[in-house]
Amino acid sequence: MRTGEVLILMGPPGAGKGTQAERLAASRCLTKLSTGDMLRDHVQRETELGLKARAIMDRGDLVSDDLIVAMVRSELETQEPVRVLLDGFPRTTPQAEALDTLLAEFNSEVSAAIALDVVEDVLVQRLLGRAEQEGRSDDNEETIRKRMHVYNEKTAPLLRYYQVRCCLSVIDGVGSMDEVFDRISEVLP
Ligand code: AMP
């Protein structure tokens, strides 16, 4: 028997994943797993993983699939049943395949994948605004462009992956926080 709930929130950098993930997780009693937040925590604590990840993150590249999957596995292992909202993971096809394998191991599966859709110019403006407010070291224009490129090349193909396998909904990510949240809630079972 399949148990739990696994939601995936996808979208390019600046699409509003973090904010929506927070609200969605709270409203559905899910644990939010943000691989970006987990990595930033490692960087701050200067763990071995953090030391490896820092330079990669600062230049807008992706941390290796093996490290990310190991990090997610150790979180999923603490969940019984698995009730998670995944924010920023998976980001590559090998990560998506590894997630399917992991979830099968925990007698679970992806319930739904939500992709936030926002045009690139709006994304860059939002991220530059966030840079001023939050001072994230990877929110400068050069790194932002690089992260967009990496998203288009490595992560965007996952939309098709989930469209074919189960459960993809593409949501217009332009609008107020409430409007976008309502659109997401409407498509979830
Ligand atoms: P985020 O906060 O989701 O925008 O992630 C910030 C940075 O962390 C990304 O630009 C990547 O360098 C790294 N990162 C986060 N999640 C992943 C992932 N699933 N795979 C590889 N790298 C990741």
Side-chain angles (χ1 to χ4, degrees):
M1 190 186 69
R2 300 283 179 189
T3 54
E5 180 171 9
V6 179
L7 296 185
I8 297 175
L9 193 57
M10 298 167 52
K17 290 191 301 293
T19 318
Q20 296 299 335
E22 220 45 89
R23 291 188 61 174
L24 260 182
S27 76
R28 301 175 77 90
C29 294
L30 301 172
T31 301
K32 184 185 88 146
L33 289 189
S34 156
T35 44
D37 285 350
M38 287 151 78
L39 288 169
R40 278 184 287 278
D41 180 56
H42 277 278
V43 169
Q44 205 182 6
R45 289 188 288 119
E46 299 188 337
T47 65
E48 201 184 325
L49 169 57
L51 294 174
K52 276 189 203 156
R54 178 183 214 137
I56 301 172
M57 293 168 77
D58 279 349
R59 58 170 194 266
D61 271 328
L62 293 182
V63 175
S64 84
D65 291 334
D66 288 352
L67 290 178
I68 296 284
V69 170
M71 202 170 71
V72 171
R73 164 185 276 279
S74 66
E75 287 292 330
L76 291 183
E77 271 169 357
T78 67
Q79 299 255 332
E80 177 59 41
V82 180
R83 293 191 53 79
V84 287
L85 184 139
L86 299 172
D87 163 18
F89 174 87
R91 255 178 159 98
T92 64
T93 303
Q95 288 181 19
E97 289 167 352
L99 175 65
D100 286 342
T101 308
L102 265 178
L103 290 175
E105 216 179 285
F106 298 122
N107 200 29
S108 188
E109 64 187 349
V110 174
S111 317
I114 308 283
L116 295 178
D117 184 33
V118 180
V119 293
E120 186 161 329
D121 283 351
V122 175
L123 295 171
V124 175
Q125 287 317 312
R126 279 189 191 176
L127 288 168
L128 290 174
R130 184 170 83 181
E132 278 180 17
Q133 284 168 3
E134 294 179 17
R136 250 178 70 165
S137 59
D138 58 351
D139 275 348
N140 59 76
E141 184 151 6
E142 191 189 340
T143 309
I144 289 169
R145 294 277 174 204
K146 173 72 195 260
R147 283 155 62 207
M148 295 293 169
H149 175 76
V150 169
Y151 175 82
N152 289 329
E153 197 162 289
K154 304 247 174 76
T155 309
L158 289 184
L159 301 192
R160 178 106 187 103
Y161 183 95
Y162 288 110
Q163 190 180 35
V164 169
R165 281 178 178 66
C166 56
C167 45
L168 175 75
S169 300
V170 179
I171 302 288
D172 178 4
V174 179
S176 72
M177 235 191 290
D178 287 342
E179 283 165 347
V180 177
F181 181 74
D182 289 345
R183 284 178 208 142
I184 297 175
S185 303
E186 265 168 36
V187 300
L188 289 174

mmCIF file of all heavy atoms in Angstrom, residues 17 34-37 39-40 56-57 60-64 68 87-91 95 130 136 138 147, ligand 1:
data_model
loop_
_atom_site.group_PDB
_atom_site.id
_atom_site.type_symbol
_atom_site.label_atom_id
_atom_site.label_comp_id
_atom_site.label_asym_id
_atom_site.label_seq_id
_atom_site.Cartn_x
_atom_site.Cartn_y
_atom_site.Cartn_z
ATOM 1 N N LYS A 17 9.408 29.859 -5.443
ATOM 2 C CA LYS A 17 9.289 28.508 -4.868
ATOM 3 C C LYS A 17 9.350 28.537 -3.338
ATOM 4 O O LYS A 17 8.544 27.907 -2.681
ATOM 5 C CB LYS A 17 10.428 27.603 -5.349
ATOM 6 C CG LYS A 17 10.374 27.213 -6.801
ATOM 7 C CD LYS A 17 11.385 26.113 -7.104
ATOM 8 C CE LYS A 17 12.826 26.463 -6.806
ATOM 9 N NZ LYS A 17 13.402 27.508 -7.661
ATOM 10 N N SER A 34 14.047 21.763 1.550
ATOM 11 C CA SER A 34 14.644 22.635 0.544
ATOM 12 C C SER A 34 16.125 22.312 0.472
ATOM 13 O O SER A 34 16.862 22.549 1.431
ATOM 14 C CB SER A 34 14.442 24.102 0.937
ATOM 15 O OG SER A 34 15.432 24.901 0.315
ATOM 16 N N THR A 35 16.564 21.757 -0.662
ATOM 17 C CA THR A 35 17.983 21.378 -0.748
ATOM 18 C C THR A 35 18.859 22.633 -0.711
ATOM 19 O O THR A 35 19.959 22.595 -0.165
ATOM 20 C CB THR A 35 18.256 20.532 -2.008
ATOM 21 O OG1 THR A 35 17.576 21.113 -3.123
ATOM 22 C CG2 THR A 35 17.812 19.111 -1.815
ATOM 23 N N GLY A 36 18.366 23.756 -1.250
ATOM 24 C CA GLY A 36 19.132 25.010 -1.185
ATOM 25 C C GLY A 36 19.342 25.437 0.265
ATOM 26 O O GLY A 36 20.453 25.766 0.679
ATOM 27 N N ASP A 37 18.260 25.388 1.075
ATOM 28 C CA ASP A 37 18.374 25.767 2.496
ATOM 29 C C ASP A 37 19.314 24.809 3.230
ATOM 30 O O ASP A 37 20.127 25.217 4.064
ATOM 31 C CB ASP A 37 17.001 25.710 3.199
ATOM 32 C CG ASP A 37 16.114 26.891 2.814
ATOM 33 O OD1 ASP A 37 16.613 27.833 2.175
ATOM 34 O OD2 ASP A 37 14.909 26.847 3.151
ATOM 35 N N LEU A 39 21.763 23.118 1.993
ATOM 36 C CA LEU A 39 23.158 23.398 1.598
ATOM 37 C C LEU A 39 23.669 24.669 2.269
ATOM 38 O O LEU A 39 24.800 24.710 2.749
ATOM 39 C CB LEU A 39 23.259 23.537 0.072
ATOM 40 C CG LEU A 39 23.115 22.236 -0.720
ATOM 41 C CD1 LEU A 39 22.952 22.534 -2.213
ATOM 42 C CD2 LEU A 39 24.330 21.335 -0.507
ATOM 43 N N ARG A 40 22.812 25.712 2.302
ATOM 44 C CA ARG A 40 23.252 26.960 2.938
ATOM 45 C C ARG A 40 23.568 26.731 4.424
ATOM 46 O O ARG A 40 24.500 27.299 4.975
ATOM 47 C CB ARG A 40 22.190 28.068 2.761
ATOM 48 C CG ARG A 40 22.285 28.756 1.381
ATOM 49 C CD ARG A 40 21.299 29.896 1.252
ATOM 50 N NE ARG A 40 19.930 29.423 1.103
ATOM 51 C CZ ARG A 40 19.395 29.017 -0.044
ATOM 52 N NH1 ARG A 40 20.104 29.059 -1.150
ATOM 53 N NH2 ARG A 40 18.160 28.591 -0.096
ATOM 54 N N ILE A 56 30.724 26.092 -5.588
ATOM 55 C CA ILE A 56 29.811 25.648 -6.654
ATOM 56 C C ILE A 56 28.555 26.520 -6.646
ATOM 57 O O ILE A 56 28.094 27.000 -7.687
ATOM 58 C CB ILE A 56 29.419 24.165 -6.438
ATOM 59 C CG1 ILE A 56 30.671 23.289 -6.431
ATOM 60 C CG2 ILE A 56 28.412 23.711 -7.477
ATOM 61 C CD1 ILE A 56 30.417 21.840 -6.028
ATOM 62 N N MET A 57 28.011 26.743 -5.445
ATOM 63 C CA MET A 57 26.797 27.557 -5.323
ATOM 64 C C MET A 57 27.082 28.997 -5.730
ATOM 65 O O MET A 57 26.285 29.622 -6.427
ATOM 66 C CB MET A 57 26.269 27.510 -3.890
ATOM 67 C CG MET A 57 25.755 26.145 -3.491
ATOM 68 S SD MET A 57 25.471 26.006 -1.728
ATOM 69 C CE MET A 57 23.919 26.888 -1.567
ATOM 70 N N GLY A 60 26.888 29.516 -9.291
ATOM 71 C CA GLY A 60 25.592 29.231 -9.914
ATOM 72 C C GLY A 60 25.484 27.852 -10.538
ATOM 73 O O GLY A 60 24.546 27.557 -11.264
ATOM 74 N N ASP A 61 26.471 26.982 -10.249
ATOM 75 C CA ASP A 61 26.419 25.611 -10.772
ATOM 76 C C ASP A 61 25.639 24.706 -9.828
ATOM 77 O O ASP A 61 25.294 25.122 -8.719
ATOM 78 C CB ASP A 61 27.843 25.054 -10.912
ATOM 79 C CG ASP A 61 28.434 25.376 -12.263
ATOM 80 O OD1 ASP A 61 27.657 25.451 -13.239
ATOM 81 O OD2 ASP A 61 29.658 25.567 -12.334
ATOM 82 N N LEU A 62 25.438 23.465 -10.246
ATOM 83 C CA LEU A 62 24.739 22.504 -9.389
ATOM 84 C C LEU A 62 25.734 21.661 -8.610
ATOM 85 O O LEU A 62 26.765 21.229 -9.157
ATOM 86 C CB LEU A 62 23.860 21.578 -10.240
ATOM 87 C CG LEU A 62 22.676 22.227 -10.947
ATOM 88 C CD1 LEU A 62 21.866 21.169 -11.700
ATOM 89 C CD2 LEU A 62 21.773 22.967 -9.962
ATOM 90 N N VAL A 63 25.405 21.412 -7.372
ATOM 91 C CA VAL A 63 26.177 20.492 -6.535
ATOM 92 C C VAL A 63 25.940 19.077 -7.087
ATOM 93 O O VAL A 63 24.875 18.806 -7.668
ATOM 94 C CB VAL A 63 25.713 20.630 -5.064
ATOM 95 C CG1 VAL A 63 26.376 19.613 -4.160
ATOM 96 C CG2 VAL A 63 25.983 22.057 -4.569
ATOM 97 N N SER A 64 26.903 18.180 -6.899
ATOM 98 C CA SER A 64 26.814 16.878 -7.572
ATOM 99 C C SER A 64 25.588 16.078 -7.120
ATOM 100 O O SER A 64 25.175 16.145 -5.956
ATOM 101 C CB SER A 64 28.092 16.063 -7.346
ATOM 102 O OG SER A 64 27.996 15.387 -6.116
ATOM 103 N N ILE A 68 23.753 15.447 -3.283
ATOM 104 C CA ILE A 68 22.379 15.903 -3.035
ATOM 105 C C ILE A 68 21.479 14.721 -2.676
ATOM 106 O O ILE A 68 20.694 14.777 -1.723
ATOM 107 C CB ILE A 68 21.823 16.625 -4.293
ATOM 108 C CG1 ILE A 68 22.624 17.891 -4.568
ATOM 109 C CG2 ILE A 68 20.343 16.902 -4.164
ATOM 110 C CD1 ILE A 68 22.316 19.039 -3.650
ATOM 111 N N ASP A 87 11.440 21.252 -2.331
ATOM 112 C CA ASP A 87 11.639 22.582 -2.902
ATOM 113 C C ASP A 87 13.072 22.638 -3.439
ATOM 114 O O ASP A 87 14.018 22.590 -2.662
ATOM 115 C CB ASP A 87 11.399 23.618 -1.781
ATOM 116 C CG ASP A 87 11.969 24.989 -2.098
ATOM 117 O OD1 ASP A 87 12.237 25.273 -3.272
ATOM 118 O OD2 ASP A 87 12.138 25.779 -1.147
ATOM 119 N N GLY A 88 13.196 22.676 -4.766
ATOM 120 C CA GLY A 88 14.544 22.760 -5.352
ATOM 121 C C GLY A 88 15.186 21.401 -5.581
ATOM 122 O O GLY A 88 16.367 21.304 -5.896
ATOM 123 N N PHE A 89 14.441 20.375 -5.424
ATOM 124 C CA PHE A 89 14.887 19.001 -5.686
ATOM 125 C C PHE A 89 13.698 18.219 -6.222
ATOM 126 O O PHE A 89 12.605 18.350 -5.654
ATOM 127 C CB PHE A 89 15.402 18.336 -4.405
ATOM 128 C CG PHE A 89 15.748 16.880 -4.571
ATOM 129 C CD1 PHE A 89 17.005 16.503 -5.009
ATOM 130 C CD2 PHE A 89 14.798 15.883 -4.342
ATOM 131 C CE1 PHE A 89 17.322 15.159 -5.186
ATOM 132 C CE2 PHE A 89 15.103 14.546 -4.521
ATOM 133 C CZ PHE A 89 16.374 14.184 -4.937
ATOM 134 N N PRO A 90 13.833 17.406 -7.261
ATOM 135 C CA PRO A 90 15.042 17.173 -8.042
ATOM 136 C C PRO A 90 15.312 18.295 -9.044
ATOM 137 O O PRO A 90 14.398 19.011 -9.428
ATOM 138 C CB PRO A 90 14.727 15.862 -8.775
ATOM 139 C CG PRO A 90 13.243 15.850 -8.903
ATOM 140 C CD PRO A 90 12.717 16.539 -7.684
ATOM 141 N N ARG A 91 16.570 18.413 -9.445
ATOM 142 C CA ARG A 91 16.961 19.447 -10.395
ATOM 143 C C ARG A 91 17.597 18.878 -11.645
ATOM 144 O O ARG A 91 17.929 19.629 -12.559
ATOM 145 C CB ARG A 91 17.969 20.359 -9.721
ATOM 146 C CG ARG A 91 17.428 21.735 -9.292
ATOM 147 C CD ARG A 91 18.572 22.436 -8.606
ATOM 148 N NE ARG A 91 18.501 23.842 -8.529
ATOM 149 C CZ ARG A 91 18.071 24.525 -7.458
ATOM 150 N NH1 ARG A 91 17.545 23.890 -6.447
ATOM 151 N NH2 ARG A 91 18.156 25.834 -7.433
ATOM 152 N N GLN A 95 18.709 12.953 -10.614
ATOM 153 C CA GLN A 95 18.109 13.171 -9.281
ATOM 154 C C GLN A 95 16.660 12.689 -9.262
ATOM 155 O O GLN A 95 16.192 12.106 -8.274
ATOM 156 C CB GLN A 95 18.161 14.651 -8.886
ATOM 157 C CG GLN A 95 19.558 15.151 -8.527
ATOM 158 C CD GLN A 95 19.569 16.619 -8.113
ATOM 159 O OE1 GLN A 95 18.549 17.207 -7.750
ATOM 160 N NE2 GLN A 95 20.748 17.222 -8.176
ATOM 161 N N ARG A 130 15.838 40.854 -4.565
ATOM 162 C CA ARG A 130 16.114 40.003 -3.403
ATOM 163 C C ARG A 130 17.573 40.176 -2.950
ATOM 164 O O ARG A 130 17.875 40.158 -1.762
ATOM 165 C CB ARG A 130 15.852 38.531 -3.770
ATOM 166 C CG ARG A 130 16.006 37.575 -2.615
ATOM 167 C CD ARG A 130 15.515 36.188 -2.961
ATOM 168 N NE ARG A 130 16.516 35.412 -3.663
ATOM 169 C CZ ARG A 130 16.328 34.171 -4.103
ATOM 170 N NH1 ARG A 130 15.158 33.588 -3.955
ATOM 171 N NH2 ARG A 130 17.284 33.518 -4.717
ATOM 172 N N ARG A 136 22.009 37.535 -0.535
ATOM 173 C CA ARG A 136 22.490 36.183 -0.833
ATOM 174 C C ARG A 136 23.658 36.272 -1.805
ATOM 175 O O ARG A 136 23.588 36.996 -2.800
ATOM 176 C CB ARG A 136 21.356 35.364 -1.469
ATOM 177 C CG ARG A 136 20.829 34.287 -0.566
ATOM 178 C CD ARG A 136 19.697 33.544 -1.200
ATOM 179 N NE ARG A 136 20.104 32.710 -2.321
ATOM 180 C CZ ARG A 136 19.335 31.763 -2.843
ATOM 181 N NH1 ARG A 136 18.145 31.538 -2.335
ATOM 182 N NH2 ARG A 136 19.753 31.050 -3.863
ATOM 183 N N ASP A 138 24.722 34.431 -4.085
ATOM 184 C CA ASP A 138 24.551 33.991 -5.479
ATOM 185 C C ASP A 138 23.457 34.798 -6.183
ATOM 186 O O ASP A 138 22.967 34.406 -7.228
ATOM 187 C CB ASP A 138 24.251 32.490 -5.548
ATOM 188 C CG ASP A 138 23.011 32.077 -4.756
ATOM 189 O OD1 ASP A 138 22.468 32.928 -4.003
ATOM 190 O OD2 ASP A 138 22.583 30.921 -4.889
ATOM 191 N N ARG A 147 22.507 30.715 -13.333
ATOM 192 C CA ARG A 147 21.523 29.809 -12.727
ATOM 193 C C ARG A 147 20.332 29.599 -13.669
ATOM 194 O O ARG A 147 19.769 28.510 -13.735
ATOM 195 C CB ARG A 147 21.074 30.347 -11.365
ATOM 196 C CG ARG A 147 22.135 30.081 -10.286
ATOM 197 C CD ARG A 147 22.059 31.050 -9.120
ATOM 198 N NE ARG A 147 20.809 30.994 -8.404
ATOM 199 C CZ ARG A 147 20.304 32.031 -7.729
ATOM 200 N NH1 ARG A 147 20.936 33.189 -7.680
ATOM 201 N NH2 ARG A 147 19.158 31.905 -7.116
HETATM 202 P P1 AMP B 1 18.120 27.323 -4.301
HETATM 203 O O1 AMP B 1 18.042 27.932 -2.953
HETATM 204 O O2 AMP B 1 17.150 26.190 -4.496
HETATM 205 O O3 AMP B 1 18.030 28.349 -5.408
HETATM 206 O O4 AMP B 1 19.584 26.664 -4.432
HETATM 207 C C1 AMP B 1 20.763 27.443 -4.319
HETATM 208 C C2 AMP B 1 21.947 26.678 -4.902
HETATM 209 O O5 AMP B 1 22.139 25.451 -4.184
HETATM 210 C C3 AMP B 1 21.777 26.258 -6.362
HETATM 211 O O6 AMP B 1 22.137 27.276 -7.271
HETATM 212 C C4 AMP B 1 22.734 25.065 -6.425
HETATM 213 O O7 AMP B 1 24.083 25.493 -6.475
HETATM 214 C C5 AMP B 1 22.525 24.396 -5.075
HETATM 215 N N1 AMP B 1 21.419 23.393 -5.105
HETATM 216 C C6 AMP B 1 20.207 23.461 -4.469
HETATM 217 N N2 AMP B 1 19.477 22.377 -4.729
HETATM 218 C C7 AMP B 1 20.209 21.607 -5.565
HETATM 219 C C8 AMP B 1 19.979 20.360 -6.210
HETATM 220 N N3 AMP B 1 18.817 19.686 -6.062
HETATM 221 N N4 AMP B 1 20.966 19.866 -6.999
HETATM 222 C C9 AMP B 1 22.138 20.500 -7.143
HETATM 223 N N5 AMP B 1 22.425 21.693 -6.589
HETATM 224 C C10 AMP B 1 21.469 22.252 -5.789
#
